[in-house]
Amino acid sequence: MTGLHCQDWTAFARTSKFKEGSAREAWKCLVAKFEPTKAPDRLQKKMMIQGLKLKYGQDPDIYIFTIEDLVMQYEEAGGRWDEVETLEHICGNLPKCYDVVVAPLEKRIGNNLNPLTLQELRDDLSLKYLKMNPRAMGVDVEGGEEVGLFGGV
């Protein structure tokens, strides 16, 4: 298969007014095909969002950016999703190792006086991730430096 060229779509978008095809009609066809706004498409996007969970060892920045992208696609398709739902979804789909970080932040979701922002949640989760994964910061844990554990008084 050689791929689809612009002229293929303009030929596809012929109208009685434009016998050779219309770029505008072709664009409408492309948008309808690749950015659908029908209910089944919205439901599929919503299910994709709801199915996302941060896995242990996965970078929370990538996880949050993926959610934001899917939410934007869902909203463009006509769905409604606000930042509170995003915060609740993220906090409810984290590994147990993030519980210590998230517990005080969850209380601030929807708070009018001191609301939790997505950026603040992202920053706190990223800090915890970097502490759990020093190699992600480029720290050479095994490369000659001794690492000692202190469990004393």
Side-chain angles (χ1 to χ4, degrees), residues 36-107:
T37 58
K38 294 183 175 74
D41 302 308
R42 280 194 306 274
L43 291 173
Q44 180 187 23
K45 297 285 184 212
K46 191 169 189 174
M47 288 173 43
M48 288 171 67
I49 295 167
Q50 292 171 338
L52 286 176
K53 296 180 184 311
L54 181 68
K55 296 174 183 76
Y56 182 81
Q58 181 183 6
D59 188 343
D61 270 339
I62 295 170
Y63 171 68
I64 292 172
F65 284 129
T66 303
I67 291 173
E68 287 177 317
D69 182 53
L70 285 172
V71 165
M72 189 169 41
Q73 291 175 32
Y74 177 68
E75 289 174 336
E76 287 172 354
R80 294 189 191 113
W81 189 279
D82 62 15
E83 188 170 341
V84 169
E85 288 176 288
T86 302
L87 292 168
E88 289 171 347
H89 176 80
I90 293 168
C91 291
N93 290 285
L94 297 171
K96 294 284 183 202
C97 57
Y98 288 95
D99 285 353
V100 174
V101 174
V102 172
L105 298 176
E106 285 178 322
K107 296 175 185 175

Side-chain angles (χ1 to χ4, degrees), residues 115-148:
L116 178 64
T117 65
L118 191 54
Q119 186 59 49
E120 186 178 358
L121 179 61
R122 177 184 281 123
D123 292 344
D124 287 359
L125 293 177
S126 293
L127 181 61
K128 176 69 173 175
Y129 171 75
L130 292 174
K131 286 182 177 181
M132 292 187 320
N133 300 294
R135 288 189 183 104
M137 290 190 326
V139 175
D140 187 12
V141 178
E142 298 171 6
E145 289 186 34
E146 291 186 21
V147 177

